[in-house]
Each structure stands twice: as C-alpha cells, then as structure tokens.
Amino acid sequence: RYNGKEMTHFTEADGIPIEPSFAITADKDGALWIGAGNRLYRYVPTETPAFTQVGGSELHIEGDYFITALYVDAAGHLWVALVANYGGKSYLFRYDGQRFTRFSAEEGAPSSWITAISQDSQSRLWVGTLSGGVYVYDGKHFITPAALRQIGIVSDIFHDRQGNTWLATNGGAVKIGAGWQPESGEALMR
C-alpha cells in the first residue's frame, strides 16, 4: 500500500501469508480481494482485522493449486481461478457473498491454466487461458468456438466502449468486433 510517501509491504503479522500473489481485484465497495497461494483474502483497511481469509474448505481442491485470476462481475460476484501447480488443470469458482459455486471442465469450463477473466457489455464472462484460447460464459453455458480455441496464449482481456473485445495474446493483439457472437462460430480477424 502506498500512502503518498512510502510503500507498505504486508506480511504474516498483518494477517496475510507471504506466498506468491498472482491476482488482485476490487469490488464495488472498495474491498480488495487478493489471491495468495491457494488462499483468498479480503482486505478492508477500516475493519479489524483488515485481512480476512474467505473460502477455506469451500475453495480447497486436493493438490498443489494456486489462484491465478480474480474478477468481480457487474452483479458483484467474485470469480476465482485456481490452477494446479503441476499439470495446469484449472477450476473456476463464482462467489456470491455467501457460497462458492465450482465450474469444472466436465461442465465446459476451461481445463487449462486460466490467465484472465473479464465481462463484456452483454454480461458474458470471457475467460482466457494459457493453452486453450478463450471461453465465453453466457450465464448458463461455456461456449468455445474453434475461432477462440485457436488463439493460443491469452494474457489479458479488455472490452472497449464501442463493444469490441481486445485480447493480448502470444501472437499479438486480437480485436473481436462488437457484433461478433460466440455462438456463430465465425472466424476472427487479427
């Protein structure tokens, strides 16, 4: 945390373990959500304690997993990506403030390393991966047209004011036009 003069490095004494942190986001109330290793923390500086662990056993998967992406959607749900340290299998969770719902590959969710999560103006969730391209969740189903699977490594996703979706990939920037529908299976232009 930066207070205008100096940086503060939070440690176990502050209530958060010293583990690799790959994901951070903020919710509409200003709380920060931090993925530290395979644990999820909520940070509110005006509360005591400022750091609280959320999820515990609900967010636990057997094995060596860690959080790689966090995103708060328009409805206020927190999306959490957990990835296996070895083998790269992923799980996606949605937290509604009360409980976690797990989405797995058996339900069509990404099975490879999740790198980015974002929501477009049509309330569709876009999930980028390290080796499986992009998945789009329409609120009921994950849609993975061939055009999105062929993209490769997706490191970030951005939706502009015109409704276009931009992907940062290992092959360069990809712009998906505002009118493109994942269900159509139409080819994309880079």
Side-chain angles (χ1 to χ4, degrees):
R1 180 176 70 192
Y2 181 68
N3 67 5
K5 295 180 184 177
E6 61 188 11
M7 296 291 282
T8 301
H9 183 178
F10 294 107
T11 66
E12 290 179 17
D14 299 299
I16 188 167
I18 300 174
E19 292 189 49
S21 295
F22 297 104
I24 189 168
T25 194
D27 63 25
K28 64 181 179 181
D29 298 324
L32 289 180
W33 294 87
I34 302 165
N38 64 356
R39 293 179 243 176
L40 177 64
Y41 291 88
R42 182 174 178 266
Y43 173 70
V44 180
T46 58
E47 293 180 4
T48 303
F51 285 98
T52 53
Q53 185 177 351
V54 179
S57 62
E58 281 187 90
L59 200 57
H60 180 73
I61 302 287
E62 273 309 310
D64 189 13
Y65 283 81
F66 57 97
I67 296 171
T68 59
L70 295 170
Y71 182 78
V72 177
D73 67 21
H77 298 128
L78 175 68
W79 292 84
V80 181
L82 270 176
V83 175
N85 198 14
Y86 302 101
K89 187 173 181 181
S90 291
Y91 291 94
L92 187 62
F93 292 83
R94 180 181 60 212
Y95 181 58
D96 65 6
Q98 301 294 317
R99 67 183 192 94
F100 286 88
T101 302
R102 183 173 101 176
F103 298 87
S104 64
E106 292 77 25
E107 299 163 301
S111 60
S112 66
W113 186 302
I114 295 171
T115 56
I117 306 170
S118 186
Q119 187 177 40
D120 67 18
S121 61
Q122 297 176 44
S123 296
R124 297 177 301 200
L125 199 73
W126 292 64
V127 182
T129 69
L130 189 62
S131 60
V134 179
Y135 292 67
V136 180
Y137 181 65
D138 65 5
K140 295 179 184 175
H141 306 95
F142 285 91
I143 304 162
T144 57
L148 294 179
R149 285 193 305 270
Q150 296 170 2
I151 289 173
I153 298 171
V154 177
S155 57
D156 207 355
I157 303 169
F158 175 75
H159 308 284
D160 67 24
R161 291 182 182 159
Q162 291 75 38
N164 300 306
T165 297
W166 293 83
L167 307 174
T169 78
N170 61 319
V174 175
K175 177 185 174 186
I176 302 170
W180 185 79
Q181 296 296 317
E183 309 83 26
S184 72
E186 293 176 14
L188 300 174
M189 299 286 288
R190 284 186 189 230

